[in-house]
Amino acid sequence: MTHALPPLARLLAVMARLRHPTEGCPWDIEQDFSSIVPHTIEEAYEVAEAIETADWPALKDELGDLLFQVVFYAQLGREQGLFDFDDICSGIAEKMIRRHPNVFADQKEADAEAQLKAWESHKEKEKPRESALDGVAVTLPALTRAAKLQKRAARKGFDWAEAAPVAEKLREELAELEAEMTNRHPDRLAEEMGDLLFTCVNLARKLSIDPESALRGANRKFERRFRVVEDSGAATPEAMEAAWEAAKKAE
């Protein structure tokens, strides 16, 4: 019934049918805003994975899955009289125009850095904050949230001038963790580990490295090498270590 519609209109019609009280899908009918959130997060990460692995056919599919999440929220909003898909599109279009006076008005910025500062200035005018740290979502992955908190503080001048002192701070935090390891107090160990990880994020930030992307890359590398270890049939720690080193050299 929807084949004659343009692609976006067809997708919206499919979503409406899935949510139809009597003719829709029981699972889709049962969902609400909160229940969809885990799926949205998962789809966003699958988009990131497709990009990081340069799997462009997968990226097309994953972007479709992510778009479907937006369409699902829009359908829920329409049913409850809160907003619809057009409202979402209009809102983001207006925001982009408003925050890019260098493109849509006469205000010009010298470079990308100046534009970023102007962007943040526009955001602050639209959403006044008591603290520079307000508005950093607590539901973000911990590494990402740490980086955003640090960037916000840095804009206020609370930052190291370069990466070298952060590396020294990292060694200091590691020494504190090692000292606490002798006491084996769970709460203090967790606190020191948190400080170490927070400083790792700070060093990544000073080196212009996204910590989440870097850690995902390390995870993929570990998976790749460990599969080689498994395939080698190594059964002892020594043999597994040798297979691991062989996998490293093969790369």
Side-chain angles (χ1 to χ4, degrees), residues 97-149:
I97 293 170
R98 190 168 61 248
R99 293 187 181 177
H100 287 87
N102 59 315
V103 175
F104 299 102
D106 296 330
Q107 181 179 329
K108 300 300 179 184
E109 304 297 344
D111 51 30
E113 183 177 355
Q115 170 55 30
L116 180 59
K117 290 180 179 178
W119 172 278
E120 292 299 331
S121 176
H122 286 297
K123 283 181 64 176
E124 289 180 6
K125 290 177 182 177
E126 293 173 9
K127 299 179 180 180
R129 299 186 176 106
E130 294 182 3
S131 167
L133 305 182
D134 288 348
V136 180
V138 297
T139 52
L140 285 171
L143 293 179
T144 299
R145 188 164 193 266
K148 290 184 74 70
L149 290 171

Side-chain angles (χ1 to χ4, degrees), residues 27 64 72 84 89 91 132 183 216 225 239 246:
W27 186 89
F72 209 139
D84 61 16
C89 294
N183 298 324
R216 284 197 296 271
R225 292 176 180 176

Side-chain angles (χ1 to χ4, degrees), residues 7-19 28 33 36 40 63-79 83-86 88-89:
L8 184 53
R10 185 184 183 199
L11 178 59
L12 293 171
V14 167
M15 183 71 256
R17 179 62 180 271
L18 289 172
R19 288 280 299 176
D28 291 279
F33 285 112
I36 302 173
T40 307
L63 286 171
D65 292 341
L66 187 58
L67 175 59
F68 186 74
Q69 299 296 303
V70 178
V71 169
F72 209 139
Y73 290 120
Q75 176 66 25
L76 293 173
R78 187 174 71 84
E79 292 171 2
F83 54 81
D84 61 16
F85 191 78
D86 285 348
I88 294 171
C89 294

Side-chain angles (χ1 to χ4, degrees), residues 185-202:
H185 190 287
D187 291 343
R188 287 198 290 270
L189 272 172
E191 181 179 350
E192 294 298 345
M193 180 61 76
D195 291 344
L196 181 65
L197 292 171
F198 192 83
T199 306
C200 282
V201 172
N202 229 338

Side-chain angles (χ1 to χ4, degrees), residues 7-73:
L8 184 53
R10 185 184 183 199
L11 178 59
L12 293 171
V14 167
M15 183 71 256
R17 179 62 180 271
L18 289 172
R19 288 280 299 176
H20 191 281
T22 59
E23 300 176 2
C25 168
W27 186 89
D28 291 279
I29 294 170
E30 289 179 355
Q31 303 313 305
D32 57 27
F33 285 112
S34 297
S35 68
I36 302 173
V37 169
H39 303 285
T40 307
I41 294 171
E42 180 180 351
E43 297 299 351
Y45 276 114
E46 289 178 357
V47 166
E49 181 178 358
I51 293 172
E52 290 176 356
T53 58
D55 189 340
W56 309 126
L59 177 60
K60 176 180 69 71
D61 290 341
E62 299 302 345
L63 286 171
D65 292 341
L66 187 58
L67 175 59
F68 186 74
Q69 299 296 303
V70 178
V71 169
F72 209 139
Y73 290 120

